[in-house]
Amino acid sequence: MPRRIGIVGVPPLAVIESINRAGDAIVDLDELQVRAPIDQTASRIPRAYCAILRTVVLNCLHLRLDEVYIDVGPGKCDCALHVAEVIADMLPVPVIRTRNQDTRAFGHPLCTGKLPLMEKFLRITKGVQSAVPYPPMASCRPTCGFWGVPPRDFSLLTPFPDTTHVFGWTRCMENKTPADLELERHFDPAIPTVFFSQSFCAKSVLAKHLAAKHPRAIAVDCDVTAGSSTRAKIEAFLELSGIRTDQRGEA
């Protein structure tokens, strides 16, 4: 009978290959898997932690899992190292810490292809669960950029045109090299770019630093959900940059 293996971050490729060979089911604990208030985690993890790690704990409170792999190396964050201690005490199953420093590049065709931005992120985050290379995809001419981590609330991605190129840690995710700082800090200065981070995420520092170096950029963050002010800020930036937010495809 297949086991249910929880993952946090991007475990090393060898771990994913092993899970795939065994035919076990992977549950991405970074994504919301249960319908429950996130404040249920307040007794176990501070509210000052990012919504992604709080979601990890929320999922662990409700899901039946047989094993958990949590990346605690430079490909995730120091906070994950401490959250690993919390969930190890919570769960009656093995919680295995990993440090993904893989360097084998799988490419990032989704990040540069022409697709609705939400669809790109859904495919990229799902791709973490497989060791199979991505199918080839033609690159499109970019009209704007999104730099950062996958937001907890994917509705934040709806204003962006299909010709948005993705940068930052999300590109590292697709490339299966989450600790590749050189790739993470890459951006295109020729296109207007939104630099995004979850509130309370350590990557907020890099987002603000790179946005300050970019000639046409804005740095935004949000916590659990994307509020109206965050959406309005992004939409205003895109429109002022000459990007239509009411149409898909060509911007």
Side-chain angles (χ1 to χ4, degrees):
M1 184 176 181
R3 300 184 303 160
R4 286 164 56 86
I5 310 298
I7 63 169
V8 180
V10 183
L13 189 63
V15 170
I16 298 299
E17 287 174 334
S18 176
I19 298 171
N20 291 164
R21 281 196 304 269
D24 292 330
I26 293 178
V27 181
D28 190 340
L29 299 177
D30 287 334
E31 298 181 1
L32 186 60
Q33 303 288 350
V34 298
R35 292 192 176 277
I38 198 169
D39 280 348
Q40 288 184 1
T41 64
S43 65
R44 300 180 182 266
I45 180 172
R47 288 186 173 89
Y49 271 45
C50 78
I52 301 299
L53 290 177
R54 291 160 68 198
T55 297
V56 169
V57 175
L58 183 67
N59 286 328
C60 288
L61 284 171
H62 292 275
L63 296 177
R64 182 191 62 77
L65 300 166
D66 296 297
E67 202 167 60
V68 173
Y69 287 89
I70 175 169
D71 192 49
V72 299
K76 186 63 173 174
C77 64
D78 289 340
C79 292
L81 178 64
H82 306 308
V83 169
E85 295 296 313
V86 174
I87 61 176
D89 284 343
M90 286 170 49
L91 300 179
V93 300
V95 175
I96 302 164
R97 287 80 161 171
T98 69
R99 294 180 180 273
N100 188 344
Q101 294 181 293
D102 291 344
T103 57
R104 177 186 170 191
F106 277 65
H108 38 78
L110 289 168
C111 287
T112 58
K114 184 177 180 181
L115 279 173
L117 191 57
M118 188 182 298
E119 178 66 20
K120 288 182 186 180
F121 272 76
L122 288 170
R123 293 192 189 185
I124 290 168
T125 54
K126 183 68 174 178
V128 172
Q129 302 180 26
S130 173
V132 177
Y134 299 95
M137 186 179 200
S139 179
C140 71
R141 182 180 64 84
T143 56
C144 70
F146 182 102
W147 182 101
V149 300
R152 183 182 189 268
D153 182 0
F154 273 22
S155 69
L156 183 83
L157 307 172
T158 54
F160 292 84
D162 298 356
T163 47
T164 301
H165 276 198
V166 179
F167 304 92
W169 194 72
T170 304
R171 183 173 286 207
C172 296
M173 281 185 73
E174 185 180 6
N175 197 51
K176 299 189 186 297
T177 55
D180 187 345
L181 180 60
E182 190 66 28
L183 180 62
E184 183 175 9
R185 66 188 179 192
H186 170 72
F187 61 80
D188 185 346
I191 55 174
T193 300
V194 173
F195 287 79
F196 171 78
S197 60
Q198 289 289 152
S199 298
F200 310 113
C201 175
K203 293 185 183 295
S204 300
V205 175
L206 187 58
K208 291 182 182 296
H209 175 68
L210 295 179
K213 297 172 69 173
H214 194 291
R216 291 190 294 164
I218 185 173
V220 300
D221 68 275
C222 72
D223 192 9
V224 179
T225 57
S228 57
S229 61
T230 302
R231 293 172 186 273
K233 186 183 295 186
I234 291 174
E235 290 175 2
F237 171 75
L238 294 176
E239 289 173 3
L240 288 170
S241 300
I243 299 167
R244 294 277 301 278
T245 61
D246 60 347
Q247 64 181 20
R248 309 310 299 266
E250 294 302 324

